[in-house]
Every structure is written in C-alpha cells, then in structure tokens.
Amino acid sequence: MQRWKINLIVLMGGNFLVLAGMTMILPFLSLYLQKDLGLTDEHEIGVWAGIIFAANFVTSFLFQPLWGKLSDKYGRKMMLLRSGFGMAIVMALMGFATEPWHLLALRMLNGVISGFVPVAVTLVSSTTPKEKMGFAMGALQSGGTAGAILGPFIGGLMADNFGYRPIFYITGTLLFLASVISLLLVRENFDRAAAAKMPQPSVLKGFRSLIVIRQLPVLLSVTFLIQFAMQSPLQLMPLYVQKLHGSSENLAFYAGFVSSVTGISNLISAPLLGRLGDKIGAKPILIVALCGAAVTLIPQAFAGSVGELLAYRFLLGCFMGGMIPTVNALIRRYTPDGMESRAFGFNSSALSLGNMMGPIVGGALSGFLGIEGLFILSGALLFLTCIWASQALRARTGKISDR
C-alpha cells in the first residue's frame, strides 16, 4: 500500500480515538462536578461546567500557532506524539481530581498540549498527492466525526455502568493507544537538517508572512465563521427538542439523536465531497457547501416536529462535510512548502476561537432572539460568508479558478 494511504488510514483511526476520548466526558461533566467533586448549588455547577468546558479552547487557541512553528522545525510526527501522549496523561489525571479547580487546571493544560488533530491534518496533507488532497481531507474528517458522534454515546453508557472517574482512565488509555499506533505506523519524509537551516521567524512574524498570501486570511476567517455559526444554537438544542416533542418521554434519546444526526451525514458526505473537489476544484465545493448549510439552517427555526428538525439537521450535515475539509485542502494549496504546520496551527486557533465564542454569544443572544432567532442568524451569517468568500477567493483575473 502506498505510504500516504497508510498514513491516512492510521490517522483516521487516531482521529477517531482522540475525538471519541475527548467527547466521552461531555454527557456527564456537570454530574461529575456534582457527584464526585462535591458541588451542590445548581448555578454554581453551571458556572463551573461552562468555565471548565471553555478552558480547553482558550489555551488551545493561544498555543496552536506555537506548536505549528515547532512542527515545521522538528517534524510533524514528533508533535503528533507529543500531543497524543501528553493528552493521554492529562486525561487520566482528571480522574483523580478532588476539587473543581483541579479539573479546570487540567483542562487548561490539555488545551496547551493538544493538537493531535491539526497535526494529523498537516502530516496527511504533506504526504498526500495533490490530486488526492480533497479526498484525504474529507476522509480524515470522517474519522474524527465518527469519534465525536460515538464518544458521548459510549461515555454515557459507561458512566451508567462504571461511574464517572473510570471514564477518564479509559479515555487516557484510548489516547495512549492512538499515540502508540501512530508511533509504530506513521511515516513522514522530513529533513530536520534542512529545516534547521531554514529561517525560523517568531510566531508573530510567521503570521505576518502568511497573511500576505491574500487567500489565507480569508480561509482562516471562514473557519472561524463556520464554527461560530454552527456552535451558536447548539447548546439550546435539547430545550428546542423538548418544545417540539411536547413531552418528557424519551426526551434524552431524541435530543441526542438530533445532535448526532448531523455528524452521521457529515461522516458520509465528507469523503464524497472531497473526492468531487479533487475533480472539479475545492472552491466550488466550499461555496456550494456554505450556501447549502445556510439554506438548511434557517428552516430549522420553523420546524413543526422533531422529525422535521431531524430532516433539516441531516441535510445540514451533508453540507458540513464540504466546509472544513475543503478549507484545509485550500490552505495546503496556498501555503508555501515548509510552513504548512504554521498555517494549520493558525487555522486550528481560528476553529478553537469559533468553538469558544459561538456558545458564549449564542447564549447571550438567546434571551432576546430565542433558539429560532439563532438559527436564522446563523444561516444568514453563513450566507453572507458564502458571498464574501466567493468574492475574496477570486483569482486575480477576476474569475473564480476551477480549482
């Protein structure tokens, strides 16, 4: 088997294990604070849960560009293993927390050393033939999406049967396993001696050297806007499902199904749209995906039943499969050789910022707009992003290039 295919398969599995492990704790984070860490006040639990959840994204946003710089200097595989083994240790330590601030500190540390997924993207992009880039980016996202879908489900089941603390130990084991597999099977052609001779500007200078490539700041902004729009209404989804369902019977099941159905369709569509992008060009796929996501977000505000909402969410996931992977493929295309890790590091920071700001702003606006208004606002934002990106990514001749 060709080396790039081996790397892709291994890192697809690695992304699955990492995302599954990282999302296993989501269904019971507030319960862990209540049952094992001794919090009793409901408001206090909510505040701590929100801060602890956001802490990972804050530090990840700050440190991803640094790891990107070091990847270009010392190699992507080294950074992949640093992140994987480091997160395995930190995640296992969360099971020993006895105070909420212990968990907060460990989540912040996890964000500092995280980066398995963006480094995997960089490593795959640097070893994959350019004519297969769209397919590889889509397939890589599918592995992570599958983990993100199954992680909360598996975590919830295991929490019911084993308690909360063992989940952290199991998660640490999964991350350790992903790192060991990557250590044994992933290969890259990286000349460290040649990389050492290349100029190594500071993170700020590296950012300045990249943003002069006019497509890159556009793509970083698109990543942020996509995540912001997708995350804004997500935290209120269970309440919206309750309103549509009209009863408490099987409510948790329906709420979980609505949340995961986009991941299921995303899992299916990402490799297919990536392969199509390899044939017709990544830019048209990105534009169509942004427009399609906007069109399927807005009707969710007017859903009359859970079944109707599920249909819209499934269609949304189909278009989501053509957004972030396509952005990654375009970033690789426009980034000079030797600076890929920095570019993907900055893109990972943009993604973390969107993950962090979306729920915060969505929660603040929900009191005025309701979740229905957030769906409309998110759809309008993606539609405007579509128009802006189609103009900003035009070739210098004034026409959108075919690739």
Side-chain angles (χ1 to χ4, degrees):
M1 186 181 293
Q2 294 173 287
R3 169 49 53 188
W4 73 269
K5 291 182 179 180
I6 296 175
N7 286 349
L8 177 59
I9 292 171
V10 171
L11 292 176
M12 275 182 64
N15 275 3
F16 173 83
L17 292 174
V18 168
L19 268 296
M22 295 297 290
T23 56
M24 275 187 188
I25 68 170
L26 297 181
F28 63 84
L29 178 58
S30 58
L31 296 175
Y32 183 55
L33 291 168
Q34 181 185 51
K35 303 292 186 181
D36 288 66
L37 302 187
L39 297 184
T40 55
D41 182 75
E42 185 174 329
H43 176 70
E44 186 182 16
I45 292 172
V47 170
W48 272 108
I51 294 173
I52 290 170
F53 179 75
N56 185 84
F57 296 118
V58 174
T59 51
S60 176
F61 166 72
L62 295 173
F63 279 86
Q64 286 307 311
L66 173 62
W67 298 131
K69 174 185 175 181
L70 295 178
S71 293
D72 287 332
K73 185 176 182 179
Y74 297 108
R76 288 90 192 195
K77 183 175 179 179
M78 179 182 290
M79 291 298 108
L80 189 82
L81 299 178
R82 169 204 59 77
S83 175
F85 286 117
M87 288 193 298
I89 294 170
V90 171
M91 190 61 66
L93 289 175
M94 290 182 189
F96 295 96
T98 57
E99 298 288 343
W101 70 265
H102 294 167
L103 199 57
L104 174 61
L106 289 168
R107 283 280 293 178
M108 293 180 69
L109 179 59
N110 191 73
V112 170
I113 62 178
S114 66
F116 188 99
V117 174
V119 175
V121 170
T122 308
L123 203 154
V124 168
S125 73
S126 65
T127 57
T128 299
K130 289 188 176 181
E131 65 273 13
K132 301 292 185 181
M133 192 66 66
F135 168 74
M137 292 296 102
L140 196 62
Q141 169 146 323
S142 292
T145 300
I149 294 169
L150 294 176
F153 176 71
I154 296 171
L157 288 178
M158 289 197 296
D160 287 338
N161 290 280
F162 306 121
Y164 304 125
R165 292 188 185 274
I167 307 303
F168 292 101
Y169 312 142
I170 294 170
T171 300
T173 302
L174 286 177
L175 295 176
F176 183 82
L177 178 62
S179 303
V180 170
I181 294 173
S182 300
L183 172 65
L184 296 177
L185 297 180
V186 170
R187 298 287 185 273
E188 67 168 334
N189 295 321
F190 186 82
D191 189 339
R192 190 175 298 180
K197 295 178 182 178
M198 293 182 64
Q200 294 293 334
S202 66
V203 172
L204 183 58
K205 287 183 178 179
F207 180 69
R208 289 173 178 170
S209 66
L210 286 172
I211 62 171
V212 299
I213 304 169
R214 62 186 183 85
Q215 293 91 347
L216 291 183
V218 175
L219 293 170
L220 297 181
S221 301
V222 168
T223 292
F224 168 77
L225 292 169
I226 289 172
Q227 291 304 114
F228 182 90
M230 290 298 162
Q231 293 296 324
S232 294
L234 204 58
Q235 61 184 344
L236 300 174
M237 191 66 72
L239 298 178
Y240 191 49
V241 172
Q242 184 179 37
K243 176 182 176 181
L244 294 177
H245 186 47
S247 103
S248 58
E249 186 178 356
N250 296 324
L251 179 60
F253 168 77
Y254 285 116
F257 193 18
V258 167
S259 297
S260 63
V261 71
T262 53
I264 295 172
S265 53
N266 189 330
L267 174 67
I268 298 169
S269 68
L272 298 177
L273 291 176
R275 192 183 295 274
L276 181 61
D278 290 332
K279 294 180 179 180
I280 68 172
K283 290 178 186 176
I285 297 295
L286 177 60
I287 301 305
V288 171
L290 286 169
C291 185
V295 169
T296 52
L297 263 172
I298 294 174
Q300 295 178 44
F302 307 100
S305 66
V306 174
E308 189 177 345
L309 180 63
L310 279 168
Y312 291 137
R313 298 291 294 176
F314 183 87
L315 290 174
L316 174 64
C318 292
F319 291 108
M320 286 172 62
M323 292 194 289
I324 295 298
T326 304
V327 170
N328 286 334
L330 288 170
I331 287 175
R332 177 62 189 92
R333 177 189 170 194
Y334 292 119
T335 301
D337 291 341
M339 298 192 71
E340 304 96 324
S341 298
R342 295 179 195 235
F344 284 118
F346 287 121
N347 195 54
S348 181
S349 288
L351 190 143
S352 294
L353 186 62
N355 283 334
M356 179 176 61
M357 294 300 298
I360 293 173
V361 176
L365 294 178
S366 63
F368 303 99
L369 303 177
I371 189 171
E372 295 88 349
L374 291 179
F375 282 130
I376 296 172
L377 182 63
S378 295
L381 180 61
L382 282 185
F383 187 70
L384 292 174
T385 302
C386 173
I387 296 174
W388 173 63
S390 66
Q391 298 294 321
L393 292 175
R394 285 182 184 273
R396 293 188 183 279
T397 60
K399 298 179 181 180
I400 297 179
S401 68
D402 60 347
R403 301 191 73 78

